[in-house]
Amino acid sequence: DAKTTQPTSMDCAEGRAANLPCNHSTISGNEYVYWYRQIHSQGPQYIIHGLKNNETNEMASLIITEDRKSSTLILPHATLRDTAVYYCIVRPDQIYNQGGKLIFGQGTELSVKP
Amino acid sequence: DTAVSQTPKYLVTQMGNDKSIKCEQNLGHDTMYWYKQDSKKFLKIMFSYNNKELIINETVPNRFSPKSPDKAHLNLHINSLELGDSAVYFCASSQSGSYNSPLHFGNGTRLTVT
């Protein structure tokens, strides 16, 4: 499984965009980039995923570089409730991924400050 | 209207006891998982079940026995509890065969073994 590298921690001012980077230089063609977050004492929450194209949903945007070796999760207007650990995960397409498991790394601890 | 629910939320017990954690999902998914999050906050997959069949067993001790009575339920029974079993256990579900169905997690069961 491809490995991801994320900064250990980041700060962001409330109301500003939070840009969380992730490196996945060994990603292969059938692997998707997933982002989850874990707010204290809760289960991991799915945010977004993508393969090649940039993706946007009601929570965030995902920007994947053309060579797919890195990506950025963007929270456009961070609030205090966005304080959490954010995990960038590379996951093979389910047809190659027996059981569909996700492998979590250390993640980035994002602190949104007033 | 919780999608993935676990009971109990907290479980405190003594070494050597046997305990069970229950998980139910109402998303209609056919794949369910157990993850363990230790004191260092690493999330590791333990088991994956698809249509009541064990797909993944990540070298978990025999004292841990998952049971899936139907697609909507995956219970975790732990025999002869040890101090090292203290952790937060998360249940999750997803749909196989569909376009990279994300995993949806419950809010965890915090197990404390004394």
Side-chain angles (χ1 to χ4, degrees):
Chain A
D1 298 322
K3 190 179 167 82
T4 61
T5 305
Q6 300 177 250
T8 304
S9 63
M10 290 181 64
D11 289 341
C12 178
E14 188 178 19
R16 305 296 293 268
N19 297 290
L20 292 94
C22 180
N23 285 323
H24 31 80
S25 59
T26 60
I27 194 170
S28 59
N30 67 359
E31 290 178 319
Y32 288 74
V33 179
Y34 276 75
W35 283 85
Y36 276 76
R37 72 181 182 183
Q38 188 174 22
I39 296 169
H40 182 62
S41 298
Q42 296 182 22
Q45 178 189 22
Y46 167 74
I47 301 173
I48 200 167
H49 76 280
L51 182 63
K52 296 179 185 177
N53 300 322
N54 298 336
E55 303 287 345
T56 295
N57 63 21
E58 64 280 3
M59 288 183 69
S61 294
L62 173 60
I63 308 297
I64 303 174
T65 57
E66 197 168 333
D67 63 8
R68 305 210 319 125
K69 293 184 177 182
S70 66
S71 61
T72 302
L73 179 74
I74 301 172
L75 307 178
H77 306 286
T79 70
L80 299 180
R81 285 193 300 268
D82 292 322
T83 293
V85 178
Y86 286 77
Y87 296 98
C88 170
I89 301 164
V90 171
R91 183 193 190 199
D93 186 286
Q94 287 194 147
I95 61 174
Y96 303 105
N97 179 19
Q98 187 190 32
K101 66 184 179 183
L102 287 172
I103 298 176
F104 288 80
Q106 279 191 298
T108 295
E109 194 160 354
L110 174 69
S111 295
V112 181
K113 299 182 185 300
Chain B
D1 203 32
T2 307
V4 181
S5 59
Q6 300 178 224
T7 53
K9 187 173 173 64
Y10 299 98
L11 185 53
V12 181
T13 188
Q14 291 184 327
M15 283 174 53
N17 285 348
D18 303 337
K19 290 292 179 187
S20 293
I21 306 171
K22 295 186 176 182
C23 178
E24 176 182 6
Q25 53 94 5
N26 63 6
L27 297 166
H29 290 162
D30 61 1
T31 304
M32 296 185 73
Y33 311 78
W34 279 109
Y35 277 77
K36 178 181 179 180
Q37 187 166 39
D38 60 25
S39 57
K40 293 184 179 178
K41 304 296 185 186
F42 285 109
L43 267 160
K44 293 182 182 176
I45 188 165
M46 300 173 69
F47 300 104
S48 167
Y49 267 74
N50 176 263
N51 280 316
K52 303 193 298 176
E53 182 183 344
L54 180 65
I55 302 294
I56 295 173
N57 180 341
E58 291 283 326
T59 60
V60 177
N62 292 341
R63 298 182 296 103
F64 290 80
S65 53
K67 287 186 171 51
S68 181
D70 56 57
K71 286 196 308 183
H73 295 85
L74 181 62
N75 303 324
L76 184 65
H77 188 75
I78 315 171
N79 289 328
S80 303
L81 278 154
E82 300 177 357
L83 293 177
D85 298 332
S86 294
V88 183
Y89 292 85
F90 290 99
C91 178
S93 73
S94 69
Q95 181 61 36
S96 68
S98 68
Y99 178 72
N100 267 275
S101 165
L103 273 67
H104 294 261
F105 286 81
N107 277 327
T109 296
R110 182 174 293 277
L111 171 65
T112 303
V113 182
T114 61

